[in-house]
Amino acid sequence: MRSFLYSFDFSIRSLLRRKTKNLSITLLFALIVFIFSGIDFMSNSLYESTLRALEFQPSIIVQKVKAGRQVPISLDGADKISNIFGVAEVRGRVWGYYFDPYTGANYTIMGAPEGLLERDILPTSLDRFHKETQPLRHGEAFAGIGVLEARGLIVGEELYFNDCEDKPVAFKVRGAFSSTVSLWTYDMIVVTEADARSLFGVDRRKAWDLAVYVPNEFEVPRVGEKIISMIPGARVIATDQLKRTYGSSFGFRSGVLLASSMTCLLAFLILAYDRVAGLSQEEQKEIAILKAVGWQTRDVIRLNMQQSLILSLSGFLLGIVLSYYHVFATNAPLLRMVFSGWSVLYPPYPLPPFVDPSKIFGLMFLTVVPFIAVGIVPVWKASIKDPEEVFRS
């Protein structure tokens, strides 16, 4: 143990003698780890948030498609689907996106049938929900706090929209809500189903889609097949499909960022090549002195590996800590625009921390281990030389 402490102290002092070079190596190492780990942190956190939100979605969503576009679906299909064995409930949903020309944001407006507001629109994961005991009435709305902040409104004031015929419509804000899954509720507005139909021009016997609830998840594929055979032109979307779609989306965005970060990876490869190419004259003289005072070749190699380990681990830990702080404490301002999509209303809440240890160790293996390994050969070549030959040269 004492010999290790002496060796560690000698390594630190040796690194400090070339502090400018070693500090630049550490910072470059930290920058590379910061970029790649930040992309991974952001992607995993958003995907986990999405999975948590999908827990409150129906087992199957049925849409009507014509000419490749979604159109309102008849509620007669709900009666047919409800007769399928294994289906617990079928409901038509009226919802849509509304572009606000005043803020440039897209709101999600959901029509809530009376008595089904809390279960379907506001799941039990809500942190807080301000509402009165009376049901939502005509001309009233609940709004996500992002909508109120964008419009500069408070509870009790009115929201103004234009309906499908471009006529102005006003909704009195009855309450504001927020959720732990802020990506889904930050820009949401909840109105009565009748108001949503009037706003989007959806007929009474139609809905925008059908929500099918199947208690047994193993029966979902069979129920989906029967729905397709029952309703011509139906598109069936299961929760598992949504999970795969979001996973592919975040994976694609991660790939785009990683591809744009190849410059940093190239800098890391140049740094590794510099270590392979050889040692400086000062470093060779230091090794020759160690050999002259009785150090063995294996001792010199061990010392160099220890120095490389100190540099690489310092840079790696610094990069991980900065990346974690950037993503989960400051809400990733450098990466957020790429991952958050087309909306201009971005929830300000910190992302829920999610770290995959296997990916952290994988990144360490791809950066720290090669950095240590590439320095062994030039140190070995320098240590087998005669010290007198090094000093004369």
Side-chain angles (χ1 to χ4, degrees):
M1 183 64 182
R2 181 175 297 179
S3 61
F4 171 77
L5 293 177
Y6 285 144
S7 176
F8 184 79
D9 179 71
F10 185 83
S11 298
I12 295 295
R13 293 177 182 274
S14 178
L15 292 173
L16 291 177
R17 283 196 294 271
R18 295 180 293 273
K19 52 181 175 292
T20 302
K21 174 184 177 181
N22 292 326
L23 180 61
S24 62
I25 292 175
T26 303
L27 293 178
L28 177 59
F29 206 103
L31 176 62
I32 296 167
V33 174
F34 172 82
I35 293 175
F36 284 87
S37 61
I39 295 172
D40 186 64
F41 287 161
M42 188 77 175
S43 177
N44 288 340
S45 180
L46 288 174
Y47 185 56
E48 287 299 314
S49 297
T50 303
L51 292 181
R52 188 169 59 188
L54 289 176
E55 294 177 1
F56 304 102
Q57 295 299 302
S59 307
I60 298 174
I61 298 174
V62 183
Q63 300 173 344
K64 184 74 172 180
V65 177
K66 284 187 178 181
R69 297 290 183 179
Q70 183 182 354
V71 296
I73 186 171
S74 174
L75 290 177
D76 295 337
D79 300 331
K80 299 178 181 178
I81 297 173
S82 61
N83 294 325
I84 299 176
F85 179 79
V87 175
E89 183 185 0
V90 183
R91 275 200 315 99
R93 302 191 304 180
V94 181
W95 65 278
Y97 297 115
Y98 181 87
F99 175 74
D100 184 7
Y102 301 104
T103 60
N106 284 278
Y107 305 143
T108 303
I109 301 180
M110 176 72 79
E114 185 177 345
L116 295 178
L117 180 62
E118 287 193 31
R119 192 193 71 178
D120 295 325
I121 310 301
L122 307 174
T124 55
S125 66
L126 285 173
D127 290 331
R128 68 180 188 272
F129 173 50
H130 310 290
K131 73 181 184 70
E132 303 171 8
T133 56
Q134 296 87 354
L136 197 64
R137 295 189 294 266
H138 171 69
E140 295 180 337
F142 293 119
I145 60 175
V147 178
L148 299 183
E149 291 176 356
R151 283 289 192 96
L153 301 176
I154 60 175
V155 175
E157 295 184 339
E158 291 187 337
L159 272 169
Y160 292 93
F161 300 114
N162 291 331
D163 62 13
C164 59
E165 298 179 355
D166 205 26
K167 296 179 180 179
V169 181
F171 294 96
K172 182 179 179 181
V173 180
R174 270 271 306 279
F177 60 87
S178 64
S179 169
T180 53
V181 192
S182 57
L183 288 174
W184 288 64
T185 60
Y186 190 69
D187 60 351
M188 180 180 285
I189 300 171
V190 181
V191 298
T192 64
E193 184 175 301
D195 285 339
R197 290 183 181 278
S198 176
L199 186 65
F200 295 121
V202 180
D203 188 77
R204 285 182 174 274
R205 288 302 303 165
K206 292 185 178 181
W208 190 241
D209 58 28
L210 300 178
V212 182
Y213 296 88
V214 182
N216 188 350
E217 62 179 12
F218 296 104
E219 295 181 352
V220 170
R222 181 185 60 82
V223 173
E225 293 175 359
K226 290 190 175 183
I227 293 174
I228 293 175
S229 63
M230 282 183 175
I231 305 176
R235 177 167 60 190
V236 174
I237 304 174
T239 303
D240 288 341
Q241 290 177 272
L242 291 176
K243 292 179 181 179
R244 290 193 296 269
T245 300
Y246 280 110
S248 300
S249 175
F250 291 133
F252 172 76
R253 294 172 188 233
S254 299
V256 171
L257 282 179
L258 288 173
S260 63
S261 304
M262 286 297 111
T263 304
C264 292
L265 182 60
L266 179 62
F268 176 76
L269 295 176
I270 293 174
L271 176 64
Y273 174 78
D274 179 68
R275 290 182 61 82
V276 174
L279 302 176
S280 65
Q281 186 175 7
E282 182 182 355
E283 290 172 323
Q284 292 185 25
K285 286 183 177 181
E286 183 176 304
I287 292 175
I289 294 174
L290 295 177
K291 292 285 290 185
V293 298
W295 283 48
Q296 301 295 321
T297 301
R298 63 174 180 272
D299 299 325
V300 176
I301 294 176
R302 188 183 300 115
L303 175 67
N304 177 265
M305 292 179 65
Q306 192 175 64
Q307 293 175 347
S308 298
L309 181 63
I310 293 172
L311 285 178
S312 58
L313 274 184
S314 299
F316 182 84
L317 294 177
L318 179 62
I320 290 291
V321 170
L322 291 177
S323 177
Y324 188 94
Y325 178 80
H326 171 254
V327 174
F328 300 124
T330 65
N331 215 16
L334 300 178
L335 302 173
R336 191 174 183 80
M337 294 293 292
V338 177
F339 280 96
S340 295
W342 44 263
S343 177
V344 299
L345 277 185
Y346 299 114
Y349 310 117
L351 293 168
F354 180 82
V355 179
D356 188 351
S358 63
K359 292 188 177 181
I360 296 296
F361 285 109
L363 182 60
M364 180 185 296
F365 181 79
L366 292 175
T367 54
V368 175
V369 175
F371 186 82
I372 296 174
V374 296
I376 295 178
V377 174
V379 171
W380 173 76
K381 289 182 178 180
S383 62
I384 61 176
K385 291 182 180 180
D386 186 5
E388 183 179 354
E389 178 184 347
V390 175
F391 292 140
R392 287 181 176 179
S393 63

